[in-house]
């Protein structure tokens, strides 16, 4: 079953967050998300949502357990105004 992790955060440094995300995306780590989307809230500038799509929960947890992922998360936290909020979702229906 597909799994989606949503990370909600606020930052006054979107260019730095984007550069970090681009650097992270260039790494070819095992268990990386199948798709990663970052979006900024049009109604609340500086409020972002990152959506990481995985094939399943186990893949997401394996990805999260990698030391490189932990280092990325720490660097990301240094660019945010407060602790990011994580939402873990089992996909129960998908329509195209």
């Amino acid at each position: 079953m597909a799994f989606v992790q949503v990370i909600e955060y606020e930052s006054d440094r979107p260019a730095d967050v984007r550069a970090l995300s681009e650097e992270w995306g260039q790494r070819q780590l095992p268990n990386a998300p199948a798709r990663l989307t970052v979006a900024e809230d049009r109604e609340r500038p500086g409020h972002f949502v990152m959506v990481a799509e995985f094939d399943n929960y186990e893949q997401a947890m394996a990805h999260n357990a990698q030391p490189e992922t932990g280092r990325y998360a720490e660097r990301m936290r240094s660019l945010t105004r407060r602790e990011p909020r994580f939402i873990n979702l089992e996909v129960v229906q998908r329509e195209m």
Side-chain angles (χ1 to χ4, degrees):
M1 181 177 303
F3 181 80
V4 174
Q5 187 171 62
V6 177
I7 305 162
E8 202 174 12
Y9 63 93
E10 295 180 10
S11 180
D12 295 323
R13 300 171 59 187
D16 294 333
V17 170
R18 190 171 301 113
L20 176 61
S21 293
E22 287 172 3
E23 174 189 323
W24 179 248
Q26 292 174 359
R27 297 175 183 244
Q28 298 297 318
L29 294 177
N31 302 307
R35 178 177 295 164
L36 184 68
T37 303
V38 178
E40 183 174 11
D41 187 334
R42 291 180 65 97
E43 312 304 315
R44 296 186 299 168
H47 181 253
F48 297 86
V49 176
M50 180 182 297
V51 181
E53 297 181 40
F54 294 91
D55 293 335
N56 54 54
Y57 173 80
E58 292 75 21
Q59 178 190 3
M61 294 304 102
H63 176 71
N64 288 350
Q66 295 176 125
E68 297 89 351
T69 303
R71 287 191 290 274
Y72 167 79
E74 285 304 312
R75 290 176 65 194
M76 183 71 167
R77 280 186 183 94
S78 74
L79 300 173
T80 62
R81 286 185 256 182
R82 61 180 59 96
E83 189 66 22
R85 178 176 174 235
F86 290 81
I87 305 165
N88 296 307
L89 306 166
E90 293 286 348
V91 176
V92 297
Q93 182 176 347
R94 179 176 281 155
E95 296 183 26
M96 298 293 171

